Amino acid sequence: MKASLLLTAMILPFPLLGQWQSIGNINSYSSPSPHEIVIRAGSATVSISFLAPDVCRVLLQHPGSKGPDTSWALTRMTWPQVNATIVDTPGELRLSSAALTVVVEKQPLRISFRDPAGNVLNRDHPGKGMAWSGAEVRVWKSKPADEVYFGFGENAGELERSETHMAMWNSDMPAYSTATNPLYVSVPFFYGLRKGTAYGIFFNNTYRTSFDMGKEANDQYSFGAPGGVLEYYFFAGPTPQNVLSRFTELVGRMPMPPRWSLGYQQCRWSYTPESRLREIARTFREKKIPCDVLYLDIDYMDGYRIFTWNLRNFPDPPALIRDLGKDGFKLAVIVDPGIKVDSTYAAYRSGLAGNHFVRTAGGSVFYGDVWPGRCVFPDFASTATRRWWGDQFSSLASAGVRGWWNDMNEPSVFDVPTKTIDVNALHNADGRPTTHAAFHNVYGMMMTLGTYEGVIRAVPGERPFVLTRASFAGGQRYSAVWTGDNVASWEHLRMALTMCLNLSVSGFPFVGSDIGGFIGYPGGELFARWLQLGVFTPLMRAHSAINERNKEPWEFGEEFTEINRKTISLRYRFLPYVYTIMREASVTGMPAMRPLTFVYPDREDYLGDVSEFLFGNNLLVAPVLTQGQTQRDVKLPAGGWYDFYSGRRYSGNSRVRVDAPLGHLPLFARAGAILPLQQPVQYTSPIDTLTLVVFPPEGDQETVTTLYEDDGTSFSYVEGEYSERTMRQHRAGEDLRIVLSACKGSYVPVPRVMLMQVFGMDSTVAAVRVAGKSLQRFHAYGLENAPEGWAYDHTSGSVKAKMTDLREEREIILSH
Ligand code: MIG
C-alpha cells in the first residue's frame, strides 16, 4: 500500500495537488463586447470569447502569469463579430452562439461547452478546473469513459492517445521508438471524440506543455505548462474535419509547394564529392527511375560552415547545378542553425556584428557544440535576425540551389546536458526578452520562417521548398516536415505511417519519412514496401545515414530495381491528383493523408488501425507493412469502392482480402471518383496526356471531383492564374453522363490529349458522345494511333475514350 502510494507520487507529472491553486468563486464579470465575458474570480481573471460561432477562446490570467505570450502560432487575429447572448443566473453565466454554449458555473468557476441541444461536449473537472502553481498553469477536464483522443502533432505511438502522458519539447531523438516522447515537432492540439462527435482544443502555449489524457486518473485529463498563460481554443466540431478547418484557419495553412517538390527526392548523408552526386543523377536517368530532387547533406560545406562550399569536393557549384538542371534535377542543401565560431567566417562575423545570436541570461553570447565544433545560434525570435539569416541564402540561391533542408533546429546541441540551448538563455524577440523555456518549441518554426522569406527574396517569384525537422503549430505555413532519424525496420515503417497521419491531422499536410529508414539497412523487401507507402506520403524522399550501405532504389538487385521503378513511376502518374490534393490542403486545411477515423469518426473499428488511410477524399491506400505479407485485409468504408488497377467493384462497409505481391500497392478508388493521372515522365514536366480514370457512382448519385492545375512554380496562382474544373458524373439507367466544367481561372495548360478510362461499364456500351457528337468507335488496339475515338477494352473491362483536352464545358455520354 505504502509502496504503491509512493510510486503514484513519483509518476505524477506535476507537484502534489496541494500546491496547486484551483480557481475559486466568481466575484464579478463584465462584457466588453457582446461575444466576450471577462470574469474576476479571486485574484484571477478569465476571459471567454467567441472567434466564430464554433470557436471559443479561454484565457486565464493569474497573479503569477506574466500576461499573454507573443503569439507565435496564430495567423488570423481578427475575426468578425459573433452574435452571442449572455444569460446571468444565480448559479451560472451562459455565453451562447448559434453553435455553442459556454456554461460557466459560478461557485467555483467551472466551464462546460455544450452543443445547441444542451449536450455537454467538454467540461472542466468539477474538483479541479483551471489551476496554477507559481508560474505553472494547468486545466483538468472530465474524461467520459468512452471518449478518445488523437492529434498531438508528431507522435510515433498509436493514433489514439487516451491513458497516455505526453510532453511537447522539440527534441533530437535519433532512432526513437513508439514510446519516445517528446519528438522533433510540437503541436499542442488534439481532438476529443465520443460517440462519433468531435471537438478540438488548441493549447496556445509554447513552453514545455504536457498532456495527461487519463493516465493520472481515468475520469479526467489535463493539460498545462510550466510557464506562460493558460490560453486555449475550443473548436466545437462536430466533425474532425470541422475542427481541423477552424484550427488551420487560426494557425494558417500550407501555401502551394513547387510542383517539383512532389516528385521523388533522393537524399543521403552525404553525396560527396560532386562526382558521386553526378553519378547518382546519371544512374536515375540511365535506369529510367524518375526523380526530381537530389540533396547535399552537411559535407558539402567548408568545415560545416553554413552557407559555404567545400570547394575541393564541389569546385564549381553553379556549373554542377546547371548540369543537374539540364537533366531535370533540382538541388536541395542542408542548413543547420549552429554558426561556427570562427572570426574568418563571414556569417559568424556579420551575425556577431548585427547582434543576431542568442545570449545567456547574463547577457553574453551563448555557445554550444554542434557539427562545426563551437557554435553560436541565431535568435530567430527577432525579425531583424530572421532577415539577416534569410539574406545569407542569396549566394546558395544564385548558385542555383532550390531546396532548403532545415535540420537540427530543435535546436540540438551536443555538449549541453539538456541537449539544447539553456532554458534561461534569452531571445531578444524584437525587444520583448523571452526565455528559451518560452521560445524553444518555436525556434525551429521561426528558423523556417526566416528561411522561407529569405529564399523568396533571393529567388523572387518562385515558391520555396523548405523542409524542416522541428516545428510548431502553424509551421505548415513555411515548411514541409520529415519525421527525423528513423530506423530501417518493419516497425519503423508502421511508425512512419502513424507519424505522418498524426502530423497530417495536426495541420501539417506536407509530410514524409526517410524512405528505407535512416539508420540501418532495409534490404530489398522493406525498401520496396516503404517506397510504396512513399507514393502516398506527400513528401516522397529516401535518405540514409552516413556509414550505411547504399540504399538507392537500384541497390537491391534487378528484381527490386524493376519494382522500385514501377513504384516511383506510379507516383508520377498520380501527380495531377496529388497536386489537386495539395491545393485542397492549402485552401481548406484538409491534409492529403487522412486516417479513416478522421473521416469516419463513428466507425470505432478504425480507431485502433491506421494501416489503411485515405489520400485525398477519393483514394484508399492499403500498404503492406509486414514482412513476407502478400495479401492483406482492407476494411472498406461505406459506399462503393473499385480496385484502382483492375476496376473490380466492391461494396462498401465490408472487409475484403486482396492480393498484394511484392510489386503491388493495393489502392481503392471511391465510386463516383474521377482520378486525374498523367503520362509517365522522368521528372515533373508539363502534362501532355491527361488521363481521367472514371469510377462511376453508386445508384443515381451525382458526384463531383476536382482537378486543379497551375504553372507549378510561381505565386501567380494567388492572383487567379490557375485552372480548376469540376468533373461531375451521374448514371442514367445503364448509361453514364460525365460533365467536365469549363476551366475556372486564367492558367492555360499546354495543348494535350485527354484519355478517359471508364470502369464499371459493360461491353454493351454502344456509343460515346462528346458535346453531342458521336466519337468514332475503334478496336482497343486501333485507338492507340487515332487522334480521337473510343473503344471497349476487353482486357481491362473498361471503356476508353480519347479526345483533345479543352477548356470549355463538355458533356460526355456513354450510352447503350
Ligand atoms: O546529427 O546532417 O536528421 O537527416 O542526415 C545528425 C546529418 C545530423 C540529422 C538529420 C539527418 C541528417 C543528419 N543530421
Side-chain angles (χ1 to χ4, degrees), residues 148-184:
V148 296
Y149 309 97
F150 64 100
F152 304 102
E154 193 176 47
N155 201 300
E158 301 286 308
L159 181 85
E160 205 278 288
R161 303 305 300 161
S162 56
E163 282 155 44
T164 69
H165 182 88
M166 288 159 285
M168 306 260 170
W169 185 253
N170 293 359
S171 303
D172 179 1
M173 290 289 182
Y176 50 81
S177 73
T178 53
T180 307
N181 165 263
L183 289 168
Y184 311 92

Side-chain angles (χ1 to χ4, degrees), residues 19 46 130 133 164 210 216 221 306 343 372 404 429 459 578 580 600 666 753 806:
Q19 295 171 285
V46 177
M130 296 185 280
S133 168
T164 69
S210 65
E216 165 201 336
Y221 73 83
I306 315 302
S343 59
W404 312 97
V459 193
V578 174
T580 299
Y600 301 98
V753 173
L806 298 175

Side-chain angles (χ1 to χ4, degrees), residues 21 57 134 137 267 272 291 392 408 430 446 460 576 595 607 623 628 732-733 745 791:
Q21 160 109 40
R57 171 180 183 255
V137 287
C267 190
T272 187
C291 180
Q392 310 303 308
M408 304 293 278
D430 295 332
M446 298 317 273
L607 198 64

Side-chain angles (χ1 to χ4, degrees), residues 23-27 41 90-93 104-110 126:
I23 194 156
N25 298 342
I26 293 184
N27 306 118
E92 57 189 43
L93 275 170
V104 189
E105 287 167 36
K106 291 182 174 176
Q107 295 186 327
L109 190 161
R110 295 290 181 269

